[in-house]
Amino acid sequence: MNAVLAPGLYIVATPIGNLGDLSPRAAQILSQAAVIAVEDSRVTAGLLRHIGVKRPMTPYHDHNAEAVRPGLIARMGMEAVALVSDAGTPLISDPGYKLVRDARAAGHSVVTIPGPCAAIAALTLAGLPTDRFFFLGFLPPKAQARAAAIAEVAAIRATLVLYESGPRLAVTLAALAEGLGDRDAAVAREITKKFEEAVTDSLSALAARYADAPPRGEIVIVVAPPGEPEAASAEDADAALAEALQRLPASKAAGEVAKKLGLDRRELYARALELKG
Ligand code: SAM
């Protein structure tokens, strides 16, 4: 049976709650792999039971990865090695990228079997723009580091996606409101499970909602991009032009102000001549 799969590394996405989301291809790879590298063998054993197979498993997690990786890399030259995480897509806030890097460096084949990912599933529930999004994973738990991480992304013109736990949800939502402004957001919880929900509101309203009642289960926060910057007013333009005209000829002053305020250069040039005249 193992001969069916070519040697190499197989990155296998698994369900984030509903076992029905395991793809037929993922089940086929898991049932044929020579060994499955797992975060927690009890969790993956449950998944294997669900598809009625038994395969050898070996732990691969943050605490043993450095020690275990060389052996796995050696094996994938001769056998099919699958990598799973407890839930969702390996490597996404989960171990695995160094295994992929070293497998490639060793010349082994790397194959992905895509599937569930909580971040992507939350984006499909939130009703916020999806054309550009920025995945933050988990924010640092300490207040100062968390505020610094939020400040770093405040100017990014994209929807933000974060993982969080129930007990920390309200504090994180309040920190996001403080650092980003009170943007629209969604809290997606228990996706694909019995109590799946997506609650949408402003960050501050969501923080208030969860402050006294930390929710159970697994959570993704999705935050809207920053609003469009307000267009500069005629008064702003006049003030900037008047200042620039003290240093520059009209055409150059118009060019400088057009760039600075995002306004039309020709209109500014006409206005500069008026102001001078
Ligand atoms: N690799 C996984 C993936 O592809 O989504 C994520 C692993 S990360 C260690 C676990 C976090 O993902 C949880 O703390 C939670 O924030 C989020 N998560 C996982 N399953 C979820 C679910 N069913 N509903 C909401 N969030 C979930």
Side-chain angles (χ1 to χ4, degrees):
M1 195 175 188
N2 289 341
V4 178
L5 275 187
L9 175 61
Y10 295 78
I11 307 297
V12 183
T14 60
I16 56 171
N18 188 325
L19 293 180
D21 292 336
L22 186 76
S23 74
R25 183 164 167 246
Q28 181 217 340
I29 301 289
L30 292 180
S31 62
Q32 295 181 356
V35 64
I36 307 174
V38 302
E39 274 193 275
D40 182 334
S41 55
R42 287 161 305 181
V43 174
T44 303
L47 182 66
L48 295 182
R49 256 196 315 279
H50 171 73
I51 55 173
V53 302
K54 275 195 173 164
R55 301 304 308 147
M57 290 182 271
T58 188
Y60 185 79
H61 46 66
D62 286 342
H63 305 291
N64 74 352
E66 296 301 315
V68 169
R69 200 179 309 122
L72 285 172
I73 298 291
R75 283 189 78 168
M76 58 186 80
M78 301 162 295
E79 300 175 308
V81 175
L83 173 72
V84 299
S85 51
D86 283 351
T89 300
L91 285 79
I92 308 301
S93 288
D94 270 332
Y97 93 86
K98 291 180 181 170
L99 198 61
V100 172
R101 178 195 65 191
D102 291 2
R104 289 199 177 287
H108 301 321
S109 126
V110 179
V111 177
T112 192
I113 294 85
C117 173
I120 299 297
L123 274 167
T124 68
L125 291 172
L128 294 170
T130 50
D131 53 334
R132 281 159 60 93
F133 58 87
F134 190 93
F135 177 61
L136 282 154
F138 292 94
L139 288 175
K142 295 208 172 128
Q144 206 179 345
R146 184 174 53 222
I150 292 171
E152 240 174 43
V153 299
I156 293 179
R157 308 201 67 76
T159 293
L160 304 176
V161 185
L162 304 89
Y163 287 159
E164 194 44 285
S165 70
R168 280 212 298 259
L169 178 63
V171 168
T172 297
L173 289 166
L176 288 166
E178 169 84 23
L180 303 176
D182 202 9
R183 300 188 195 170
D184 286 339
V187 171
R189 198 171 69 83
E190 294 290 87
I191 304 170
T192 76
K193 303 185 200 175
K194 188 172 174 195
F195 296 109
E196 172 178 306
E197 65 172 8
V199 181
T200 57
D201 211 325
S202 66
L203 281 167
S204 64
L206 289 168
R209 174 190 175 117
Y210 292 113
D212 298 327
R216 287 170 192 267
E218 300 195 277
I219 290 157
V220 183
I221 303 172
V222 186
V223 185
E228 290 299 317
E230 267 183 39
S233 67
E235 290 76 32
D236 293 338
D238 276 3
L241 270 180
E243 189 282 321
L245 281 170
Q246 290 175 14
R247 297 179 280 111
L248 301 167
S251 65
K252 288 216 158 112
E256 183 184 280
V257 174
K259 211 166 163 191
K260 192 164 124 198
L261 299 184
L263 297 173
D264 185 80
R265 190 176 196 281
R266 285 159 61 122
E267 284 176 22
L268 286 170
Y269 179 60
R271 181 65 183 148
L273 294 180
E274 269 174 37
L275 289 176
K276 272 182 82 168

